[in-house]
Amino acid sequence: MNGKFEPKIVGYLCTWCSYTGADTAGISRIKYPGNLRAIRVPCSGRVSPELIMRTFDQGADGVLVLGCHIGECHYDNGNHRTAKRLPILKTLMEFTGLEPERLRLDWVSASEGERFSRIVTEFTQEVSALGPTKWQNHTESTGLRYVGSRSAEMSQPRVATFSSRFDQYVEKTEAIQEKARELLAKDQVNCVIGYEVGPRGRTRPAFIHHVDEVDRLVWNQDCSHNLATYLRQKLHPSQKSSSDEKRQRVAIVVKPCDSRAINVLLSENQFDREQVYVIGMTCEGIFNKEGASRQFASHHLPEKFSVQDRCVHCTERTPVLCDFLIGDPPDSSIIPESPGDDELEGILSLSPAERAAFWTEQFDRCIRCYACRQVCPLCNCPTCLYERDDSLWVGMGTGINEKRAFHLGRAYHLAGRCVGCNECERVCPMNIPISLLNRVLAKEMESLYDFRAGIALGPSPLLTVLRGVEG
Amino acid sequence: MSLISKEKLDGWLSAIAKEATLIAPREIGGVLLYRPVAHSNDIVFNFTRPEMSIKEWLFPATDRLMVIEKYRQQIRLTETLPNNRQVIFGVRPCDASGLKVLDTLFTDTDPVDLYYTKRRENTTLIGLACQEMGESCFCKSLGGELDDPRDVDIMLVEREGGYEVQVITEKGRDLLPSDWHDLDNWDERETERRVYPDFNSASSPAYLETQAWPPFFKDDYWEKLAERCLSCRICAYVCPTCRCFDIRDEVLPSGVGFDRFERIRCWDSCASEAYRRIAGGHNPRPLKGQRMRNRFFCKFYYYPEQYGPIACTGCGRCVDACPVNIDITEVLQHLVEVNS
Amino acid sequence: MTAATQIQGQNAMTPYLGKLVEVRDLAEGIKLFGVGMFNGNNGVIQDYKPGQFAFVSAFGLGEAPFGIASTKERGNVLEFAVQRLGSVTTGLHELGEGDIVGLRGPLGNCFPMEDLKGKDLTLLGGGIGGAPLRAVIHTVLDNREAYGHLTILWAARRPNLLVFRDEYSEWRSAPETQLHLTVDEPDQSWDHNVGLITDLLEKVSPSPENTFTITCGPPIMIYYVSKMLDKMGFSPEQNYITLEARMHCGIGKCGRCNLGEKLVCVDGPVFTMAEVGSFLESFL
């Protein structure tokens, strides 16, 4: 060994085309570098993104996925799935510090020995030039101040001013209470899920089962929680969410972002439409309390307040789905024109090494409390992939590799499903800007597939379901 | 009363940092946490309490118990007991009494947990008294005090012009520079710990005594309370006294020709859904109300029945950290009202 | 019922190493593992009582608790019945004779074999729950005069899930001993009882006078058996059970196995139904 760096390349080759293509290269005595460790799969569609992420976590310097040409898949459309998934995975991994040249998707048919050899040779050279993987190694925090570091000055809060806003809250509160009273009195729902203010003055979710409790319900600028997260627990047939066995029907108070989540849940058949009565609220924005952003004390209502980041970028001010609308559609001047996501752009302007260092610093603080996952309406797996007893995908420890695997895997699973409520970030006790991962994928889904989650009912998840010509 | 100046304090702490691991409150990514510091400049001196308690330095979130090496039919086990010296500065009385609670389980009850106990022996606690109670603090309900020195090795109280230093234990005295004279020795008789807390004061909400808890087991209050619970683990992880853990073998990068594993233990929480699920799928606590009930009963009834102290020190972290405002003081208040 | 011998002065989390001296099939998906101790004698592991359990490590996967199915009087090999259910048990099933496992134990309390002398005993074992009962049976058979009449009710879902079939003739042929078998789903060659263990219990109808029962099996079986025993006139103090509650450390530290204020690993796993009846939390 002469000390030259020899990269470890893992290749996922599909049986019918690319693996046979590799054979063809061999039979024809066409040379290619020996760095490739070939893993034979029935179809490139079988190569799940979790598998690729794990391959990098285990120390691969480069991962090459080779499938049949589009239109030639032995299973008709297996490679269509690969074609949809890999660009999203690449975006995610590059966003968190992987060099783009390390992951490549290409198509090779059984007879294309030359092509196989050329691709492998090119890929190996590119990866060699990058040097050994830094993905698996975590760097110590360098102490540099990055754009993404969460200090108060970083994100510019937009100031929202309203006149007679307090009256609006009182009106909206009364409207919610009246509707709740009506629904419960007529026994149209078992439960109304809304907001109340606790003894400390903090707004929190409320579950109203009786008409006499209806006065607990409120509407104010601190109604941040995405209540759709409770719907599946209450309504899915498999859930025993209370000792009350009869079929549940609930009413729910939703903001525009929350209503999108309901659309995604309906699209994924989590419960029936008639089980939910949607009380939709028009929304000018939710308060961004300085300092501890998790809790809100509704003691003082300032004349002006800053809204949360996600409200700055929001383009729906009226719910996309509702049975009863409360509030007037807000003045269109409140809706910003092409709101820029400065924080996201900031990360995208960094080099791969800087991005990796940024995310290492963020994930270092994570304590794996899973609050981000639990608060999300769309994270519903009975057993989370990353919490399995047999540690199949990731161990249970709090090393950076493990925590990153969890967060990246979760973000990938939410691509095309996340509605941008950013509750995951609000609840994080360690102030990790976790919604950045979801935002970059939402942006990619919109630009590649012209898709925004939950705006309308439709096939979901987009990365799994093949629509129209795709299938 | 002898005061030392801030400069003297800085110098002393920076000197400690050179010889042992000095852990102190630091701002990391906008969050206040106990972390190692190289120099006194990194320390935040003015704070209510860091987000996480000092528990993570005695009982880490991931703790390696042993390394297992496997070659064909041979096994080699290597215990990995901790042995590094650490000094924690800026310890609030509530966190220190949290360690005393954990002591009754890990150290005073056989078999002794060597990992926790060795760390405890190798750790010196420099306490820093609170100047005022935080909004969600309620240590006084549980017999605590802002400047209770009982459970630390040295207690510092900020005064006009400097810091008052009280030596509490011999371990503390050993840490002090030899040229510091006239330092007060704390006398056990000085502070009577109150047995019955104040009731119904704004900063000290009521607390229900241990023997009054069992009748509340069958109450439907728990199911209602837990309706908004997300079954995350924040409350258990930020708590100075929660200690449930999971044990598993995880794969390490293999050596040349042999496999390597580590047996680790990690934090867990009875609030999470899978906590009591057994192989085969049966789960005796499938409802959130059952899990929430277990959490509160464990703190205020099971733990004191088994080990003595109440497993809550009134630090208030769970009150601030819970994303849906499940508030332990509200629970206690409710139980006291119903009980009377 | 005495508490476990404490492992004094040693790290209670570190297992002893044991070599598998025997691995054989007991039933479908269930194997019997015989572990001989390693590294010299160790009085702690050699001295154990029926009802106690130990943690067996499949190194690289983890550890799991198993009731000890052997008695020290019959030899110095510890025997465990292991059903293949999760990752650790699957790992154990892939081991063979000569492989090394870890052992932590004996842990927990035990059956009150001294107090049961002179009494009639009715043992009810469901599926793999029968494993700790086998230790009781061996103890009684090896001291036959010291104990009264022994009635064994052995149940499983199917005939190929019955454990210790090779010992039934030994049990049957012992004096003052009866063995009754039942399955839920018989096969063609089955010519014993069909039905739940509660039906069998009703049919066999042991008298409560001077009798103690020990039930080992899934929680739901323990529940229905205890109801039936109530009906038959047994008082809860006469009925012993063992409970499983997903233990992880087995030494009372990790907090997972609590039933109310009791820890199954330290205060149990052997309890009387009278004790269990007074627990805050139900075992179901």
Side-chain angles (χ1 to χ4, degrees):
Chain A
M1 278 299 281
N2 58 4
K4 176 179 177 271
F5 165 59
E6 288 296 340
K8 295 195 203 64
I9 313 275
V10 174
Y12 288 99
L13 310 179
C14 76
T15 296
W16 303 98
C17 284
S18 49
Y19 190 83
T20 312
D23 264 352
T24 305
I27 289 167
S28 319
R29 305 277 187 264
I30 302 172
K31 289 197 166 114
Y32 57 88
N35 305 71
L36 182 82
R37 282 97 163 131
I39 297 181
R40 179 176 172 179
V41 294
C43 174
S44 61
R46 188 264 173 270
V47 184
S48 59
E50 295 89 349
L51 202 54
I52 297 176
M53 285 192 271
R54 189 167 160 84
T55 312
F56 279 110
D57 281 346
Q58 301 267 307
D61 297 301
V63 173
L64 187 56
V65 179
L66 298 178
C68 307
H69 288 282
I70 298 290
E72 290 175 14
C73 178
H74 184 80
Y75 302 101
D76 279 352
N77 50 28
N79 57 357
H80 297 186
R81 295 175 202 280
T82 326
K84 274 177 98 165
R85 290 177 190 150
L86 264 283
I88 299 294
L89 176 67
K90 245 177 108 78
T91 302
L92 183 63
M93 295 193 80
E94 285 165 24
F95 187 66
T96 44
L98 186 76
E99 297 95 325
E101 298 84 352
R102 293 197 190 267
L103 173 59
R104 176 167 170 175
L105 170 67
D106 219 316
W107 319 106
V108 172
S109 80
S111 58
E112 289 178 319
E114 275 280 356
R115 183 177 162 84
F116 176 81
S117 150
R118 180 174 56 76
I119 291 173
V120 173
T121 307
E122 258 175 36
F123 187 66
T124 308
Q125 280 168 354
E126 283 170 9
V127 173
S128 285
L130 291 172
T133 178
K134 298 160 204 73
W135 184 257
Q136 198 191 30
N137 305 316
H138 356 109
T139 49
E140 293 300 304
S141 172
T142 60
L144 287 174
R145 287 190 49 123
Y146 295 110
V147 166
S149 178
R150 305 289 278 178
S151 53
E153 309 90 54
M154 197 244 111
S155 46
Q156 303 299 314
R158 302 281 174 95
V159 170
T161 6
F162 308 100
S163 57
S164 67
R165 184 189 60 251
F166 185 66
D167 289 347
Q168 268 192 26
Y169 290 157
V170 172
E171 268 170 35
K172 285 184 172 178
T173 297
E174 284 171 358
I176 293 174
Q177 289 179 358
E178 197 186 303
K179 186 42 100 173
R181 204 169 281 124
E182 180 196 315
L183 291 169
L184 286 167
K186 292 189 188 159
D187 206 26
Q188 287 178 315
V189 299
N190 313 111
C191 175
V192 177
I193 309 175
Y195 302 91
E196 66 177 353
V197 178
R200 273 186 202 271
R202 299 181 187 182
T203 304
R204 64 199 191 189
F207 295 78
I208 307 297
H209 297 273
H210 301 291
V211 173
D212 357 332
E213 296 175 328
V214 151
D215 293 329
R216 283 164 51 191
L217 291 167
V218 301
W219 178 260
N220 58 37
Q221 79 287 3
D222 291 332
C223 292
S224 183
H225 312 74
N226 187 338
L227 299 176
T229 196
Y230 296 109
L231 285 178
R232 191 181 185 274
Q233 280 172 25
K234 286 270 178 218
L235 302 177
H236 192 272
S238 74
Q239 298 299 299
K240 194 178 167 228
S241 68
S242 79
S243 38
D244 185 351
E245 290 294 345
K246 70 178 186 232
R247 182 167 156 96
Q248 296 280 320
R249 194 168 179 260
V250 303
I252 183 172
V253 175
V254 293
K255 308 186 288 296
C257 42
D258 311 336
S259 65
R260 285 172 62 188
I262 300 185
N263 263 343
V264 181
L265 289 168
L266 288 170
S267 303
E268 293 177 356
N269 302 312
Q270 295 302 304
F271 43 81
D272 297 328
R273 177 67 182 89
E274 345 37 283
Q275 287 180 274
V276 199
Y277 187 93
V278 182
I279 303 173
M281 313 298 295
T282 59
C283 179
E284 295 87 13
I286 298 294
F287 189 33
N288 183 30
K289 185 168 187 281
E290 289 107 42
S293 57
R294 275 180 317 290
Q295 298 291 342
F296 309 90
S298 307
H299 299 299
H300 313 289
L301 272 159
E303 186 57 38
K304 301 180 183 188
F305 62 82
S306 57
V307 294
Q308 293 183 3
D309 273 350
R310 47 132 166 193
C311 305
V312 171
H313 308 120
C314 176
T315 49
E316 285 78 38
R317 300 296 178 162
T318 305
V320 297
L321 168 83
C322 78
D323 294 301
F324 184 73
L325 182 66
I326 296 179
D328 300 317
D331 189 340
S332 58
S333 65
I334 287 173
I335 300 175
E337 296 172 12
S338 42
D341 192 337
D342 300 328
E343 202 180 358
L344 188 61
E345 297 305 324
I347 307 286
L348 291 171
S349 70
L350 299 176
S351 72
E354 287 171 324
R355 294 180 195 183
F358 169 76
W359 283 107
T360 299
E361 196 179 307
Q362 301 308 314
F363 291 138
D364 181 55
R365 285 199 304 289
C366 173
I367 56 174
R368 268 182 105 163
C369 66
Y370 296 126
C372 48
R373 178 191 75 191
Q374 297 300 113
V375 81
C376 179
L378 286 329
C379 269
N380 291 323
C381 293
T383 303
C384 176
L385 224 61
Y386 301 99
E387 207 186 347
R388 289 173 60 119
D389 274 347
D390 57 6
S391 296
L392 185 65
W393 288 102
V394 82
M396 67 172 184
T398 45
I400 295 194
N401 273 339
E402 287 133 310
K403 295 187 283 196
R404 180 183 56 194
F406 164 65
H407 286 294
L408 260 50
R410 199 179 85 87
Y412 176 79
H413 292 158
L414 287 170
R417 304 169 67 231
C418 168
V419 299
C421 73
N422 289 13
E423 278 287 283
C424 48
E425 191 168 300
R426 179 185 70 86
V427 304
C428 176
M430 294 293 136
N431 209 29
I432 299 173
I434 203 68
S435 71
L436 278 169
L437 299 176
N438 300 309
R439 279 142 66 192
V440 76
L441 291 187
K443 183 175 164 207
E444 195 72 4
M445 292 299 286
E446 196 171 353
S447 86
L448 281 180
Y449 306 119
D450 192 25
F451 183 78
R452 292 180 65 223
I455 299 297
L457 288 173
S460 185
L462 200 71
L463 289 183
T464 306
V465 176
L466 297 174
R467 313 175 287 182
V469 296
E470 294 167 351
Chain B
M1 173 196 320
S2 49
L3 292 185
I4 57 161
S5 64
K6 176 75 166 46
E7 289 73 39
K8 245 185 156 172
L9 178 64
D10 285 340
W12 174 50
L13 291 175
S14 300
I16 294 176
K18 289 194 178 63
E19 289 175 1
T21 309
L22 175 65
I23 296 157
R26 288 184 70 165
E27 202 226 285
I28 313 263
V31 181
L32 193 68
L33 294 168
Y34 284 106
R35 285 284 187 270
V37 293
H39 193 273
S40 174
N41 292 340
D42 298 328
I43 303 177
V44 172
F45 284 88
N46 210 355
F47 60 94
T48 310
R49 57 170 135 68
E51 192 70 32
M52 302 284 281
S53 71
I54 61 174
K55 169 181 89 170
E56 59 176 336
W57 293 100
L58 285 298
F59 172 56
T62 303
D63 201 357
R64 177 185 283 187
L65 304 177
M66 62 200 73
V67 171
I68 300 156
E69 289 162 308
K70 216 169 158 187
Y71 175 67
R72 299 217 189 125
Q73 283 188 328
Q74 295 173 46
I75 299 271
R76 178 164 64 192
L77 281 185
T78 314
E79 273 178 3
T80 47
L81 290 170
N83 63 358
N84 62 316
R85 286 262 302 119
Q86 54 186 24
V87 177
I88 310 183
F89 169 75
V91 178
R92 295 304 200 197
C94 53
D95 273 10
S97 58
L99 285 190
K100 277 283 165 74
V101 170
L102 291 176
D103 287 347
T104 59
L105 165 72
F106 283 128
T107 307
D108 302 339
T109 303
D110 268 340
V112 170
D113 185 294
L114 292 182
Y115 301 90
Y116 173 89
T117 304
K118 276 199 179 306
R119 280 198 189 90
R120 191 79 160 100
E121 283 162 6
N122 288 333
T123 304
T124 310
L125 301 175
I126 306 175
L128 184 63
C130 303
Q131 297 291 302
E132 59 186 4
M133 282 182 86
E135 197 222 322
S136 46
C137 295
F138 62 105
C139 58
K140 292 191 185 186
S141 296
L142 297 161
E145 257 306 344
L146 273 64
D147 56 358
D148 186 345
R150 239 168 261 271
D151 305 323
V152 294
D153 298 303
I154 299 169
M155 181 53 116
L156 300 180
V157 185
E158 196 182 345
R159 306 271 187 221
E160 189 79 39
Y163 289 83
E164 177 196 329
V165 179
Q166 271 194 335
V167 180
I168 314 296
T169 64
E170 279 312 303
K171 198 198 249 185
R173 178 165 287 290
D174 290 341
L175 194 62
L176 293 167
S178 48
D179 61 343
W180 284 15
H181 302 300
D182 305 325
L183 295 174
D184 297 327
N185 264 336
W186 178 69
D187 185 339
E188 175 106 27
R189 293 166 298 178
E190 273 176 42
T191 323
E192 285 281 320
R193 179 165 271 170
R194 276 169 300 168
V195 178
Y196 299 107
D198 282 352
F199 280 80
N200 298 322
S201 68
S203 65
S204 183
Y207 135 76
L208 184 74
E209 81 222 13
T210 307
Q211 293 312 318
W213 279 74
F216 285 101
F217 196 80
K218 297 264 189 279
D219 206 309
D220 63 2
Y221 172 70
W222 305 107
E223 205 172 295
K224 292 207 194 83
L225 172 73
E227 243 179 327
R228 60 184 187 272
C229 175
L230 298 173
S231 301
C232 67
R233 304 169 185 201
I234 289 183
C235 51
Y237 285 13
V238 299
C239 174
T241 63
C242 273
R243 60 32 169 156
C244 285
F245 59 86
D246 202 345
I247 307 180
R248 205 178 295 173
D249 289 355
E250 303 281 12
V251 176
L252 286 176
S254 53
V256 178
F258 58 94
D259 290 326
R260 287 175 75 233
F261 307 95
E262 53 175 357
R263 180 160 292 176
I264 57 173
R265 68 173 175 192
C266 289
W267 290 352
D268 206 339
S269 166
C270 60
S272 85
E273 202 262 324
Y275 183 70
R276 278 290 283 272
R277 199 194 296 151
I278 55 177
H282 175 66
N283 185 349
R285 291 191 202 128
L287 302 178
K288 290 193 293 186
Q290 294 170 323
R291 299 198 287 272
M292 200 56 11
R293 175 182 64 187
N294 184 76
R295 181 174 163 67
F296 286 104
F297 265 78
C298 180
K299 292 192 160 303
F300 292 96
Y301 183 67
Y302 305 156
Y303 203 99
E305 282 284 292
Q306 287 166 328
Y307 310 109
I310 292 163
C312 175
T313 59
C315 75
R317 284 186 177 86
C318 57
V319 175
D320 285 338
C322 176
V324 295
N325 191 218
I326 291 185
D327 189 331
I328 195 170
T329 61
E330 205 182 311
V331 172
L332 293 174
Q333 192 80 31
H334 167 88
L335 295 177
V336 165
E337 276 166 21
V338 171
N339 197 48
S340 58
Chain C
M1 293 193 286
T2 57
T5 315
Q6 300 296 356
I7 306 171
Q8 299 293 343
Q10 277 185 314
N11 187 349
M13 301 299 292
T14 305
Y16 298 103
L17 294 180
K19 186 175 276 199
L20 286 179
V21 298
E22 188 190 6
V23 178
R24 64 182 167 89
D25 284 325
L26 264 190
E28 187 187 302
I30 304 177
K31 285 191 182 181
L32 184 78
F33 290 83
V35 186
M37 288 312 299
F38 231 41
N39 292 347
N41 285 329
N42 210 310
V44 176
I45 295 285
Q46 284 178 359
D47 181 19
Y48 60 94
K49 301 182 176 56
Q52 292 190 302
F53 65 96
F55 269 81
V56 181
S57 294
F59 286 116
L61 288 165
E63 349 165 83
F66 299 97
I68 305 179
S70 54
T71 56
K72 65 176 193 261
E73 287 79 14
R74 284 205 180 188
N76 54 14
V77 173
L78 269 90
E79 290 177 319
F80 303 93
V82 176
Q83 184 169 30
R84 185 187 182 127
L85 270 180
S87 62
V88 173
T89 46
T90 302
L92 286 173
H93 271 230
E94 284 166 14
L95 296 177
E97 284 172 25
D99 282 325
I100 299 184
V101 295
L103 268 180
R104 282 198 303 122
L107 301 169
N109 64 357
C110 55
F111 294 118
M113 298 313 296
E114 282 303 308
D115 297 341
L116 292 177
K117 282 186 173 164
K119 312 278 184 226
D120 290 340
L121 294 177
T122 301
L123 309 182
L124 300 105
I128 193 149
L133 286 181
R134 179 197 186 231
V136 176
I137 295 170
H138 285 186
T139 306
V140 171
L141 295 188
D142 293 344
N143 303 280
R144 198 64 197 89
E145 310 282 290
Y147 295 92
H149 192 84
L150 176 63
T151 310
I152 308 169
L153 277 67
W154 216 243
R157 275 202 311 279
R158 295 187 299 274
N160 60 359
L161 288 173
L162 283 168
V163 293
F164 301 114
R165 273 172 294 181
D166 53 332
E167 294 185 33
Y168 295 167
S169 52
E170 182 201 336
W171 299 351
R172 281 202 177 95
S173 61
E176 289 284 303
T177 306
Q178 277 183 342
L179 171 65
H180 303 271
L181 302 172
T182 184
V183 295
D184 299 344
E185 303 156 18
D187 61 21
Q188 280 171 342
S189 57
W190 186 253
D191 60 357
H192 303 279
N193 299 294
V194 174
L196 298 172
I197 198 168
T198 38
D199 300 331
L200 183 63
L201 179 60
E202 203 171 11
K203 184 169 148 197
V204 169
S205 194
S207 152
E209 203 183 309
N210 199 38
T211 306
F212 282 81
T213 70
I214 308 181
T215 312
C216 295
I220 196 77
M221 171 191 137
I222 293 180
Y223 176 73
Y224 283 112
V225 163
S226 76
K227 284 251 164 311
M228 179 64 71
L229 290 171
D230 277 345
K231 213 170 105 182
M232 289 164 59
F234 283 82
S235 76
E237 287 82 2
Q238 289 173 270
N239 301 331
Y240 287 90
I241 61 169
T242 57
L243 289 177
E244 213 282 303
R246 189 168 183 187
M247 302 183 252
H248 267 158
C249 71
I251 52 174
K253 303 297 182 199
C254 78
R256 188 171 299 252
C257 69
N258 77 309
L259 267 186
E261 73 277 27
K262 300 292 179 195
L263 290 173
V264 173
C265 65
V266 166
D267 302 309
V270 177
F271 295 102
T272 64
M273 282 310 293
E275 288 171 317
V276 169
S278 72
F279 291 170
L280 270 184
E281 197 172 7
S282 152
F283 65 91
L284 264 183

